């Protein structure tokens, strides 16, 4: 449904931007990229859909039309991320898409996964999305250290295996019960989202079953 499609987009874009930021920190000299056809298409979609959403909202606040145009922008961004796997490429453009999407959804009173990196919901508390991002980021760090220790071998390899097992249990058992979905990515920066616990638990159960059948 529409809510799930929007949620999946938010999770994918948030993860892509975190990957881009991580890559930029590791290799700042490689940040700039020349635009290609894919970037120009996405930029054209952003300009066009931004104008269309604005026109729809001026037309007696035609929310259905505005949401439809926003969904078209989402499809364009998803297509771009699928065609261009390099996280740093198009990062500035994707940040522009994220800012615009967040602004429109905020005007509708909707919090998104893209808000997780922003300010806390109040002066002394964080939002669920911010807490989820903190847990996911901590897990990414611990997991990357364990993977590197396992590759290096030596006395720490056994402990690394146990740490990776605990990371998997957090992803597959503890967090799904709270409605938190975490998907590991090759870059080492996980994608996360918040959903209904029953749905996330069912997905985790299907993954375990598929893994058991593959053994």
């Amino acid at each position: 449904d529409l809510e799930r499609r929007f949620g999946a987009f938010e999770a994918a874009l948030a993860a892509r931007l975190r990957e881009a930021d991580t890559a930029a920190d590791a290799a700042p000299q490689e940040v700039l990229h020349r635009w290609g056809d894919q970037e120009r298409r996405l930029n054209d979609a952003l300009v066009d859909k931004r104008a269309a959403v604005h026109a729809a909202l001026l037309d007696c606040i035609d929310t259905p039309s505005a949401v439809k145009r926003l969904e078209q922008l989402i499809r364009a961004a998803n297509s771009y991320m699928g065609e261009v796997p390099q996280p740093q490429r198009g990062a500035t453009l994707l940040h522009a898409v994220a800012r615009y999407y967040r602004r429109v959804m905020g005007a509708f009173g909707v919090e998104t996964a893209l808000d997780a990196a922003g300010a806390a919901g109040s002066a002394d508390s964080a939002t669920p999305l911010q807490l989820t991002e903190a847990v996911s980021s901590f897990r990414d760090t611990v997991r990357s250290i364990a993977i590197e220790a396992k590759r290096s071998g030596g006395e720490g390899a056994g402990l690394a295996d146990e740490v990776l097992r605990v990371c998997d249990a957090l992803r597959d058992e503890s967090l799904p019960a709270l409605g938190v979905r975490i998907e590991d990515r090759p870059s080492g920066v996980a994608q996360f989202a918040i959903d209904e616990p029953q749905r996330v638990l069912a997905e985790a159960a299907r993954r375990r079953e598929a893994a058991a059948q593959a053994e």
Side-chain angles (χ1 to χ4, degrees), residues 102-126:
R102 190 167 57 241
R103 187 165 67 249
V104 173
M105 296 300 283
F108 293 148
V110 179
E111 181 186 25
T112 76
L114 298 170
D115 297 317
S122 66
D124 56 359
S125 64

Side-chain angles (χ1 to χ4, degrees), residues 54-92:
H54 183 69
L57 294 178
L58 287 179
D59 184 15
C60 299
I61 313 181
D62 185 359
T63 303
S65 293
V67 171
K68 181 178 180 180
R69 303 299 179 237
L70 193 61
E71 188 174 11
Q72 291 170 348
L73 176 59
I74 287 173
R75 285 200 295 269
N78 281 335
S79 294
Y80 175 82
M81 290 188 287
E83 294 173 7
V84 181
Q86 303 95 324
Q88 282 183 274
R89 183 173 160 187
T92 301

Side-chain angles (χ1 to χ4, degrees), residues 1-212:
D1 59 5
L2 184 66
E3 183 179 354
R4 291 203 70 190
R5 289 198 298 273
F6 275 44
F9 165 71
E10 293 166 13
L13 182 54
R16 173 66 173 254
L17 295 178
R18 288 195 302 275
E19 286 178 330
D21 291 343
T22 299
D25 289 341
Q29 71 278 9
E30 299 179 6
V31 170
L32 297 179
H33 295 269
R34 186 183 299 276
W35 274 19
D37 291 339
Q38 295 94 335
E39 286 77 23
R40 283 188 283 272
R41 283 198 299 270
L42 179 56
N43 185 65
D44 289 345
L46 175 58
V47 172
D48 179 65
K49 303 313 172 188
R50 185 164 50 196
V53 169
H54 183 69
L57 294 178
L58 287 179
D59 184 15
C60 299
I61 313 181
D62 185 359
T63 303
S65 293
V67 171
K68 181 178 180 180
R69 303 299 179 237
L70 193 61
E71 188 174 11
Q72 291 170 348
L73 176 59
I74 287 173
R75 285 200 295 269
N78 281 335
S79 294
Y80 175 82
M81 290 188 287
E83 294 173 7
V84 181
Q86 303 95 324
Q88 282 183 274
R89 183 173 160 187
T92 301
L93 181 56
L94 287 173
H95 271 293
V97 171
R99 285 193 300 271
Y100 177 68
Y101 177 87
R102 190 167 57 241
R103 187 165 67 249
V104 173
M105 296 300 283
F108 293 148
V110 179
E111 181 186 25
T112 76
L114 298 170
D115 297 317
S122 66
D124 56 359
S125 64
T127 68
L129 283 171
Q130 290 170 328
L131 293 173
T132 301
E133 182 184 33
V135 171
S136 181
S137 179
F138 177 76
R139 178 180 174 276
D140 287 344
T141 301
V142 171
R143 187 168 177 270
S144 66
I145 292 172
I147 289 174
E148 184 59 33
K150 185 174 180 178
R151 286 175 182 161
S152 301
E155 297 180 357
L159 178 59
D161 283 333
E162 180 62 16
V163 170
L164 290 173
R165 186 194 68 76
V166 172
C167 286
D168 287 347
L170 180 66
R171 178 196 62 202
D172 298 333
E173 300 171 16
S174 302
L175 293 179
L178 301 175
V180 175
R181 179 190 297 108
I182 287 186
E183 299 176 12
D184 290 320
R185 298 162 67 98
S187 66
V189 179
Q191 176 175 314
F192 66 85
I194 297 177
D195 205 336
E196 296 178 3
Q198 297 88 342
R199 180 176 292 167
V200 184
L201 284 168
E203 292 173 354
R206 286 194 293 269
R207 284 196 300 271
R208 286 196 298 269
E209 183 178 349

